[in-house]
Amino acid sequence: MRRPIIGIIGNSYLINDQYPTHAGGTMNSEAVAQVAGCLPLIVPSDPLLVTVEELLDTCDGFLFTGGRPNVHPAEYGEDETPAHGEFDRCRDAITLPLIRACVDRGQPFFGICRGFQEVNVAMGGTLYPEIRDLPGRMNHRMPPDGTLEEKFAIRHDVHFEKGGVFHRLFGSTCVRTNTLHGQGIKTAGDRIGIEGHADDGTPEALVIKDAPGFTLSVQWHPEYNATQDPVSRVLFSAFGDAARDWVGNRGTGPGFAAQSSVA
């Protein structure tokens, strides 16, 4: 069987403040290739360049990556404020309908950080622009200084719902993760099952209830050190298995969620 093709959602960047690019972190591609066992393919997230239909036909699964720009609040019915930060409306225009299409088809996807937030918004949910300003919440943002290892260091526990998909996948109701995000879920979208929370109550892990395929999404960054970190290996290995199931059955098989009995 050929390696499944995983579309890695790219972000728009300026190199040297003037040369526009579509880019994806090397650690995303490494996790997809080395742990999931799939073929990484960076997607230029711009509706002028690609369509959702073309992506669904070309790729077997999708990695909705993290990124500095946030989902525009207009996508969940709120006004833009300085607290919402930077935006990438072209990425919004591709990812939100793509997520909904994958849910309907049972095509596997894995959401990370901004991708986790995109999944919630795509299903009708809303976001807090800055969770560190909320009473009782910790600062989940990336430390401004230090080495890459220090910025991606393990910082808190995530507690899973007993009997849920994540609990069964890990064989534990608690794992330790890094944390590098400013926004977070305010209200859960339709069919969003929040199965994991940080100690301060911030949602950290979700699935789409009753979806026919793999829909796991996490608020942390498991792509970092994915070949060595035991939590990351479990997630990317399961994602790769779901993508191989999709290639083998092209959507006709039982699917990850059906096998996991998401309730």
Side-chain angles (χ1 to χ4, degrees):
M1 181 185 296
R2 66 170 176 82
R3 281 198 295 171
I5 299 170
I6 300 300
I8 299 176
I9 300 302
N11 290 296
S12 297
Y13 290 105
L14 285 177
I15 296 178
N16 296 329
D17 296 323
Q18 62 181 166
Y19 185 77
T21 66
H22 286 109
T26 300
M27 62 182 73
N28 290 310
S29 297
E30 291 174 343
V32 166
Q34 298 172 2
V35 184
C38 300
L39 176 67
L41 181 67
I42 296 176
V43 172
S45 304
D46 187 333
L48 296 177
L49 305 177
V50 299
T51 67
V52 169
E53 291 74 19
E54 288 171 323
L55 293 176
L56 291 168
D57 288 342
T58 301
C59 300
D60 302 302
F62 297 93
L63 183 67
F64 294 96
T65 61
R68 185 172 297 278
N70 294 311
V71 179
H72 197 283
E75 299 291 352
Y76 47 92
E78 297 185 9
D79 295 328
E80 174 185 338
T81 71
H84 286 95
E86 302 174 12
F87 307 110
D88 185 344
R89 298 308 302 272
C90 287
R91 172 166 168 161
D92 294 344
I94 289 294
T95 56
L96 300 181
L98 180 58
I99 288 165
R100 290 188 286 265
C102 285
V103 170
D104 290 342
R105 289 162 58 100
Q107 199 156 345
F109 66 80
F110 184 20
I112 292 175
C113 198
R114 176 191 160 118
F116 171 90
Q117 296 162 12
E118 284 174 327
V119 172
N120 185 56
V121 172
M123 303 304 290
T126 65
L127 303 173
Y128 287 115
E130 190 65 77
I131 58 174
R132 65 181 173 181
D133 293 337
L134 301 174
R137 299 292 185 93
M138 65 177 283
N139 183 3
H140 288 257
R141 281 191 174 276
M142 176 192 292
D145 302 310
T147 65
L148 198 65
E149 290 78 11
E150 290 168 334
K151 291 179 178 180
F152 280 86
I154 301 301
R155 290 172 58 194
H156 68 61
D157 291 337
V158 174
H159 303 275
F160 299 125
E161 175 185 318
K162 190 173 182 179
V165 175
F166 285 90
H167 175 205
R168 294 195 296 275
L169 191 61
F170 287 110
S172 174
T173 57
C174 182
V175 299
R176 288 190 59 78
T177 72
N178 55 36
T179 185
L180 301 92
H181 62 100
Q183 298 198 324
I185 290 179
K186 180 193 295 184
T187 60
D190 183 43
R191 298 173 62 193
I192 293 290
I194 298 176
E195 291 197 358
H197 294 82
D199 289 329
D200 65 356
T202 298
E204 293 278 343
L206 66 79
V207 296
I208 307 296
K209 297 176 183 178
D210 303 318
F214 185 102
T215 61
L216 272 62
S217 299
V218 299
Q219 184 64 89
W220 69 90
H221 283 266
E223 75 276 18
Y224 177 73
N225 197 30
T227 60
Q228 301 300 317
D229 181 76
V231 173
S232 300
R233 287 203 311 270
V234 167
L235 290 169
F236 275 98
S237 294
F239 180 44
D241 289 343
R244 279 180 285 277
D245 179 71
W246 177 265
V247 170
N249 299 288
R250 231 17 215 185
T252 62
F256 177 85
Q259 295 175 39
S260 300
S261 187
V262 182

